[in-house]
């Protein structure tokens, strides 16, 4: 696991061998091919590295080779991301046993910036970027839904073969193993080629050299329990922008309920009742949640509806007096 840097290494004392080869055209930009020797590993870099970048890459190689945790830190603007990518991919290329890099950051926006940096290099690993259906569904009939309703709609469209976007077609599109695309580019490509980016990204993850994903895919136990599509064995875990890890870990272990969420729960009682009736009729539309819904009786649903109506009535009455901001006061009155 790589996440921060002990900058005690004296980069000025190092004299790594640097070879400048012929220039090449990467991303329509002419760049020199730079080969840097670090810890018996040849690292391909898009330009002559600064001493602090060499020091950083040496620390990455040592951590990967010795299977140790490393805390790496470098000021903004010193090419940290580029150094991290080039060093870890160079190490990966030397491995005899199947290995991969799991690159984690807080948001997909941050991951897109990392992928942008990867495009500057001559490295062309097989990559995959994991995300939820909320950002990877391109079916206009399905993606207006959110959360569990989106998941159910997606699975039912797939089961009924009503989705025009094909599933698991990686073998027919080998270019996906050489193209470096972020989430937006993947969605655009899949929409054009009538492919499903959600399932395609998971197929890619099974064979990818480097997998990009948000922190919560690894840190949140609920997300992991929903069915991991890949193993983390023999992987190098890179936590980029690691100062965010504590907050994400706290959030994944905490529960925050807003009044708006409580209102949405009340609204979903009608959805629950509809699902219950459909399952009792042996219809398959809600079959993905059949086990959970079957355990709920109509008496339970009636109790939930009455409780929700009573709750909202009290809440609306109290907020007329206290105002929208005094949620805690409202909840105390309701509990009493």
């Amino acid at each position: 696991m790589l996440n921060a840097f002990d900058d005690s290494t004296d980069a000025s004392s190092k004299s790594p061998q640097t070879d400048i080869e012929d220039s090449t055209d990467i991303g329509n930009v002419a760049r020199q091919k730079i080969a840097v020797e670090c810890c018996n590993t040849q690292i391909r870099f898009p330009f002559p590295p600064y001493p602090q970048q060499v020091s950083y890459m040496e620390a990455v190689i040592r951590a990967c080779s010795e299977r140790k945790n490393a805390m790496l830190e470098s000021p903004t603007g010193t090419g940290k991301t580029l150094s991290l990518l080039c060093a870890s991919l160079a190490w990966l290329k030397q491995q005899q046993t199947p290995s991969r890099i799991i690159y984690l950051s807080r948001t997909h926006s941050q991951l897109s910036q990392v992928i942008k940096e990867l495009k500057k290099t001559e490295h062309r690993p097989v990559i995959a970027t994991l995300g939820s259906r909320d950002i990877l569904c391109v079916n206009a009939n399905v993606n207006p839904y959110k959360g569990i309703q989106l998941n159910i709609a997606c699975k039912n469209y797939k089961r009924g073969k009503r989705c025009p976007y094909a599933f698991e077609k990686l073998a027919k599109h080998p270019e996906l193993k050489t193209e470096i695309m972020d989430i937006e580019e993947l969605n655009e490509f899949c929409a054009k080629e009538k492919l499903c980016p959600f399932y395609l990204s998971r197929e890619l993850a099974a064979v990818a050299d480097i997998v990009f994903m948000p922190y919560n895919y690894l840190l949140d136990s609920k997300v992991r329990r929903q069915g991991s599509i890949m193993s983390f064995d023999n992987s190098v875990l890179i936590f980029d922008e690691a100062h965010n890890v504590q907050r994400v870990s706290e959030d994944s272990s905490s529960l925050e309920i807003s009044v708006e969420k409580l209102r949405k729960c009340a609204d979903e009682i009608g959805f629950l009742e509809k699902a219950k009736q459909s399952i009792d009729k042996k219809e398959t539309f809600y079959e993905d949640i059949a086990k959970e819904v079957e355990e709920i009786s109509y008496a339970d649903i009636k109790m939930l509806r009455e409780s929700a109506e009573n709750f909202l009535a009290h809440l609306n009455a109290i907020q007329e007096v206290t105002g929208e901001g005094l949620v805690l006061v409202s909840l105390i009155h309701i509990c009493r």
Side-chain angles (χ1 to χ4, degrees):
M1 178 177 67
L2 308 176
N3 54 16
F5 179 48
D6 176 3
D7 59 0
S8 59
T9 303
D10 182 7
S12 62
S13 65
K14 303 292 182 179
S15 300
Q17 180 179 347
T18 302
D19 296 324
I20 302 178
E21 303 176 7
D22 295 335
S23 63
T24 186
D25 187 40
I26 302 174
N28 298 322
V29 178
R31 296 184 183 278
Q32 293 176 318
K33 289 183 179 179
I34 306 299
V36 183
E37 192 76 23
C38 288
C39 302
N40 299 318
T41 301
Q42 189 177 76
I43 300 174
R44 315 295 291 189
F45 213 67
F47 50 80
Y50 296 110
Q52 60 265 36
Q53 290 174 322
V54 173
S55 176
Y56 196 98
M57 290 189 289
E58 288 176 340
V60 172
I61 295 295
R62 286 199 303 271
C64 293
S65 300
E66 298 172 12
R67 303 177 68 87
K68 292 182 177 180
N69 295 336
M71 300 184 66
L72 309 179
E73 182 180 33
S74 187
T76 301
T78 55
K80 168 182 65 67
T81 301
L82 202 57
S83 301
L84 188 54
L85 287 169
C86 290
S88 58
L89 287 170
W91 172 85
L92 184 68
K93 190 175 181 179
Q94 290 186 332
Q95 301 313 297
Q96 301 298 319
T97 57
S99 304
R100 73 170 72 216
I101 298 167
I102 310 297
Y103 199 109
L104 304 104
S105 196
R106 187 172 63 88
T107 66
H108 280 102
S109 176
Q110 291 174 334
L111 290 173
S112 293
Q113 290 299 315
V114 175
I115 294 172
K116 184 178 179 180
E117 290 294 300
L118 178 58
K119 290 180 180 181
K120 296 178 181 179
T121 75
E122 65 177 75
H123 294 284
R124 288 299 177 263
V126 180
I127 78 165
T129 305
L130 298 183
S132 67
R133 288 179 175 87
D134 289 280
I135 61 172
L136 283 173
C137 178
V138 293
N139 188 334
N141 294 320
V142 176
N143 59 25
Y145 295 102
K146 298 299 177 185
I148 186 173
Q149 293 186 358
L150 172 59
N151 294 342
I152 292 172
C154 169
K155 292 176 181 178
N156 283 308
Y157 264 72
K158 181 184 178 185
R159 185 182 302 110
K161 297 182 178 180
R162 292 181 291 155
C163 184
Y165 298 93
F167 302 99
E168 301 171 353
K169 297 292 184 180
L170 179 58
K172 295 184 178 181
H173 291 273
E175 67 271 23
L176 287 170
K177 290 187 177 182
T178 57
E179 290 291 329
I180 306 295
M181 293 186 284
D182 61 20
I183 284 282
E184 291 184 3
E185 292 167 334
L186 178 64
N187 282 349
E188 290 175 3
F189 174 86
C190 289
K192 180 181 178 181
E193 299 293 331
K194 292 296 181 181
L195 300 171
C196 174
F198 177 76
Y199 285 99
L200 190 61
S201 65
R202 277 148 176 71
E203 190 181 0
L204 274 169
V207 298
D209 300 309
I210 180 168
V211 181
F212 297 95
M213 65 178 73
Y215 293 147
N216 63 313
Y217 272 63
L218 180 65
L219 298 178
D220 192 330
S221 60
K222 298 186 293 296
V223 176
R224 293 201 306 271
R225 283 198 299 268
Q226 288 173 359
S228 177
I229 50 84
M230 55 175 286
S231 170
F232 293 102
D233 293 341
N234 296 320
S235 298
V236 174
L237 304 180
I238 298 176
F239 288 85
D240 197 9
E241 303 291 341
H243 56 274
N244 293 309
V245 170
Q246 180 178 350
R247 176 63 183 274
V248 173
S249 299
E250 290 172 352
D251 290 345
S252 67
S253 303
S254 305
L255 178 64
E256 180 179 309
I257 302 179
S258 65
V259 171
E260 182 60 29
K261 286 182 180 179
L262 291 171
R263 285 198 174 107
K264 287 182 179 179
C265 288
D267 292 340
E268 286 191 358
I269 294 174
F271 168 79
L272 179 61
E273 186 171 25
K274 183 179 178 181
K276 176 72 173 174
Q277 293 170 350
S278 175
I279 291 167
D280 288 348
K281 293 177 183 178
K282 306 300 181 183
E283 297 174 350
T284 60
F285 191 80
Y286 297 99
E287 124 179 331
D288 294 299
I289 58 172
K291 182 178 179 181
E292 292 83 357
V293 173
E294 283 175 348
E295 298 174 354
I296 301 174
S297 67
Y298 286 103
D300 293 329
I301 295 175
K302 181 181 178 181
M303 179 198 68
L304 285 171
R305 185 184 301 281
E306 291 175 350
S307 298
E309 291 173 351
N310 181 57
F311 168 80
L312 291 176
H314 279 80
L315 181 62
N316 292 333
I318 291 171
Q319 287 185 333
E320 287 180 5
V321 178
T322 64
E324 285 287 338
L326 300 179
V327 176
L328 181 59
V329 174
S330 302
L331 292 176
I332 290 174
H333 279 283
I334 291 169
C335 291
R336 285 176 177 170

